[in-house]
Amino acid sequence: MTCYLNGEYLPIEEARIPVLDRGFIYGDGVYEVIPVYQRWPFRLADHLRRLRRSLDAVRIASPHDDAGWTAIIQGLVDRHPATDQSLYLQVTRGVARRDHAFPKDTPPTVFLMTNPLVLPTPESVAQGVKAVTATDNRWFRCDIKSTALLANVLLRQFAVDQGTSESVLLRDGFLTEGSSSNIFAVRNGVIATPARSHLILTGITYEAIVDLCTSAGLPLEQRDVSEAEVRQADELWLASSTREVLAITTLDGRPVGNGTPGPMFRRMYDLFQAHKREVCPAA
Ligand code: PDD
């Protein structure tokens, strides 16, 4: 499999970074995961905007402009045999003697790889998945798509250890997001999801769902969502680049609504599939 490292496309087995890379030592970097359908990166402009916001937030100068990023990404997508891919892009603060403070004049490390996109199985889409609640114990800059994901890793494993797919995170009695997804709750036909803030990573899938609600006239409220609302929801959805939109049908061992994906989910799932086909048309 081909990857991209600092200006070169090469087989991933041959890609090497020095052990002093600050991504390795500190998790000092940011990343993106971009789904690719029919060789079209999905909502690439949105992903590049979020990448720029993450880089600005951690004060790494972007090594490329949007045209440069687009060329690197398309170059990698075109080298992979699969038409549908999950592309990973990471920028770290580069290689330097270990010291917490920023190094001077150190070029960032740029790494990209792409893999076949593995979407949820048709069974998961039809039946929904299980999730558990957990306390959101992360920092206060969850809006930065940082490679320092230890808390998210532990929270996801907490879900897996209980035979479920995701942990639904609660902070001070309110919903934030999933360990690697955004969460939507539906009650009496109204969709609610936390508004953009430093406490969540605003997903590009989240943004797509917001746009689809607007264009289809579905009632959506972006506001604080209490733990009680999560527990009393008729439907819960999770959303991410690699899982698209998926119904959570069991939360903490109890059925969500009637325990099957609800009508609002099916509507959004269909809208999302149509949106994908529209923005990533077959060649
Ligand atoms: N994660 N919130 C968190 C904490 C996430 O890690 C992700 C996605 C999202 C959804 O963002 P998007 O819709 O842009 O994928 C929300 C990716 C898929 C990952 O880390 O693999």
Side-chain angles (χ1 to χ4, degrees):
M1 193 190 71
T2 305
C3 69
Y4 174 96
L5 181 62
N6 296 331
E8 241 193 299
Y9 293 100
L10 73 173
I12 195 151
E13 300 75 24
E14 290 172 21
R16 298 275 180 276
I17 56 152
V19 291
L20 286 178
D21 193 282
R22 290 177 63 101
F24 181 58
I25 298 285
Y26 291 116
D28 185 0
V30 301
Y31 77 107
E32 279 295 321
V33 176
I34 308 173
V36 175
Y37 301 106
Q38 308 286 349
R39 299 195 182 281
W40 292 85
F42 179 70
R43 296 178 70 119
L44 181 59
D46 291 347
H47 281 280
L48 292 180
R49 195 175 312 120
R50 185 172 65 183
L51 173 64
R52 191 163 302 280
R53 277 203 306 267
S54 295
L55 287 167
D56 287 349
V58 303
R59 297 163 59 192
I60 295 176
S62 184
H64 302 288
D65 60 15
D66 281 5
W69 283 122
T70 302
I72 293 168
I73 290 167
Q74 205 62 54
L76 191 61
V77 167
D78 291 344
R79 281 170 169 81
H80 199 286
T83 54
D84 290 2
Q85 305 171 23
S86 165
L87 186 138
Y88 177 87
L89 181 165
Q90 168 170 336
V91 184
T92 79
R93 206 180 304 278
V95 181
R97 186 179 62 82
R98 185 178 181 280
D99 177 4
H100 287 57
F102 297 172
K104 285 198 173 56
D105 308 321
T106 300
T109 300
V110 176
F111 171 67
L112 290 85
M113 63 179 165
T114 191
N115 286 290
L117 181 62
V118 181
L119 290 175
T121 61
E123 293 73 45
S124 300
V125 174
Q127 289 160 24
V129 296
K130 295 178 183 163
V132 286
T133 55
T135 299
D136 192 342
N137 53 11
R138 299 172 303 162
W139 68 334
F140 291 101
R141 291 306 308 273
C142 298
D143 57 313
I144 301 173
K145 203 161 170 58
S146 162
T147 59
L149 286 173
L150 184 55
N152 302 67
V153 165
L154 294 173
L155 288 163
R156 179 65 173 280
Q157 191 59 36
F158 175 74
V160 169
D161 288 345
Q162 294 173 75
T164 71
S165 302
E166 183 57 300
S167 38
V168 173
L169 306 181
L170 300 166
R171 193 194 280 268
D172 301 331
F174 290 92
L175 171 67
T176 53
E177 58 180 337
S179 72
S180 59
S181 60
N182 293 113
I183 304 288
F184 294 76
V186 181
R187 177 84 176 161
N188 297 329
V190 178
I191 307 159
T193 194
R196 289 179 182 78
S197 79
H198 286 176
L199 300 183
I200 67 167
L201 190 271
T202 308
I204 305 308
T205 322
Y206 168 112
E207 289 183 357
I209 289 171
V210 170
D211 290 352
L212 292 170
C213 285
T214 307
S215 57
L218 300 178
L220 171 74
E221 296 176 354
Q222 291 170 273
R223 56 163 174 85
D224 290 348
V225 178
S226 71
E227 174 173 352
E229 286 180 276
V230 172
R231 297 199 182 281
Q232 290 156 16
D234 301 326
E235 302 185 22
L236 287 176
W237 313 339
L238 65 79
S240 83
S241 291
T242 46
R243 291 188 280 182
E244 300 186 335
V245 56
L246 200 56
I248 296 172
T249 45
T250 304
L251 186 69
D252 292 337
R254 285 185 288 275
V256 177
N258 68 5
T260 61
M264 298 289 281
F265 165 76
R266 285 198 299 274
R267 182 80 204 283
M268 183 47 67
Y269 183 83
D270 290 346
L271 287 169
F272 192 85
Q273 299 308 313
H275 176 61
K276 247 167 67 172
R277 285 192 293 272
E278 187 190 319
V279 297
C280 305

